Amino acid sequence: MKAVVLAAGKGTRLRPLTDDKPKGLVEVNGKPIVTHCFEQLAELGAEEFIVVVGYRKEDIISYYDDEFDGIPITYTHQREQKGLAHALLTVEEHIDDDFMLILGDNIFQANLEDVVRRQQEDRADAAFLTEEVPYEDASRFGVCDTNDYGEITDVVEKPDDPPSNLVMTGFYTFTPAIFHACHLVQPSNRGEYEISEAIDLLIRSGRTIDAIRMDGWRIDVGYPEDRDEAEERLTDEEVASPSA
């Protein structure tokens, strides 16, 4: 299974950490965020990395070149920051089967393998990791409704009145059907092509989308304090579980 890493963002909110580098190369616990992504995707069996670059793309390409730990890397270029669905369309020509998608500014210590396993069961057209957040925070995310079988029945991006407190995280698996949905997405009120809208289009077309509840934690490294929190958690885990 191929793995797509979205790493085109400027990381404006991460300044000054991104004054001289793209967000994906900001170090957490001694290595860039994208390296953390690569390592986890490799453990999940990724056979190729497709990295969507944009802001300071040369820095990322120069840092990783054409492979990571023996796994080949292909780069695509998102010239304008127009949302995740827009970014995903840059990889369409490189994908012909089920694939993984991770946001290149997320640090996970969670059950990503459960999402991949569900996709490989050939029952779902997409699956993604979800987590419960306080209701007052849900409006910051893509919010999901599910049925009794754990299937997603509705996805709303950053709603004023969230229908639940179950939100999307930054790890997904899809079939190539997601690309057709992305082509149909219209710009949101924010002027972006939202991945949540593409997922909702899949649902409305009768596709099965499964929600996998997160077991563990993840941090979206959007601000310097998020980087510090992720670093602290990873360090604590290393102390609690020293290598033999």
Side-chain angles (χ1 to χ4, degrees):
M1 190 181 286
K2 294 181 180 180
V4 175
V5 181
L6 302 187
K10 291 184 177 180
T12 304
R13 296 172 302 172
L14 263 174
R15 291 175 177 162
L17 299 176
T18 51
D19 282 346
D20 61 351
K21 62 172 67 73
K23 180 162 47 170
L25 292 184
V26 170
E27 291 196 355
V28 176
N29 205 31
K31 52 192 171 186
I33 302 172
V34 168
T35 297
H36 288 277
C37 295
F38 283 168
E39 290 177 346
Q40 291 191 304
L41 294 167
E43 290 180 3
L44 294 169
E47 60 189 30
E48 179 183 353
F49 299 126
I50 304 174
V51 184
V52 182
V53 294
Y55 174 68
R56 298 185 69 110
K57 65 183 187 297
E58 298 85 359
D59 293 347
I60 292 178
I61 295 170
S62 174
Y63 190 93
Y64 293 105
D65 201 12
D66 60 0
E67 70 169 22
F68 176 86
D69 202 18
I71 300 172
I73 301 174
T74 297
Y75 297 96
T76 67
H77 185 198
Q78 185 186 23
R79 298 182 183 279
E80 299 179 82
Q81 308 304 302
K82 291 186 175 181
L84 300 187
H86 179 265
L88 191 53
L89 283 175
T90 69
V91 312
E92 182 176 12
E93 65 180 275
H94 301 284
I95 299 290
D96 56 9
D97 205 345
D98 292 7
F99 66 99
M100 297 178 274
L101 170 68
I102 195 168
L103 305 189
D105 54 5
N106 278 221
I107 299 291
F108 282 97
Q109 289 292 299
N111 53 321
L112 306 186
E113 66 278 0
D114 290 342
V115 181
V116 175
R117 190 177 302 117
R118 181 64 57 86
Q119 188 74 31
Q120 292 172 336
E121 291 172 354
D122 289 332
R123 190 181 72 82
D125 294 283
F128 49 84
L129 208 61
T130 59
E131 66 174 323
E132 292 187 3
V133 301
Y135 269 99
E136 58 269 24
D137 294 338
S139 61
R140 297 168 44 211
F141 303 94
V143 180
C144 311
D145 255 352
T146 61
N147 61 21
D148 293 340
Y149 301 102
E151 298 168 353
I152 303 290
T153 58
D154 191 28
V155 179
V156 186
E157 185 68 26
K158 298 179 173 64
D160 292 331
D161 185 18
S164 78
N165 66 330
L166 188 67
V167 305
M168 296 191 295
T169 68
F171 183 73
Y172 316 75
T173 55
F174 291 109
T175 69
I178 189 63
F179 297 116
H180 179 64
C182 287
H183 280 291
L184 298 176
V185 169
Q186 297 299 308
S188 67
N189 292 335
R190 301 191 302 153
E192 295 193 357
Y193 296 83
E194 311 283 4
I195 191 70
S196 55
E197 175 64 18
I199 292 169
D200 199 49
L201 288 170
L202 287 181
I203 295 168
R204 283 189 268 158
S205 70
R207 306 273 183 167
T208 299
I209 317 293
D210 280 351
I212 309 298
R213 301 295 179 105
M214 185 168 66
D215 180 11
W217 59 267
R218 70 110 184 194
I219 293 176
D220 176 358
V221 183
Y223 294 90
E225 56 266 30
D226 298 325
R227 193 281 298 264
D228 296 342
E229 181 184 354
E231 198 158 81
E232 183 176 338
R233 286 201 185 194
L234 291 171
T235 300
D236 288 347
E237 289 189 358
E238 288 176 358
V239 171
S241 303
S243 58

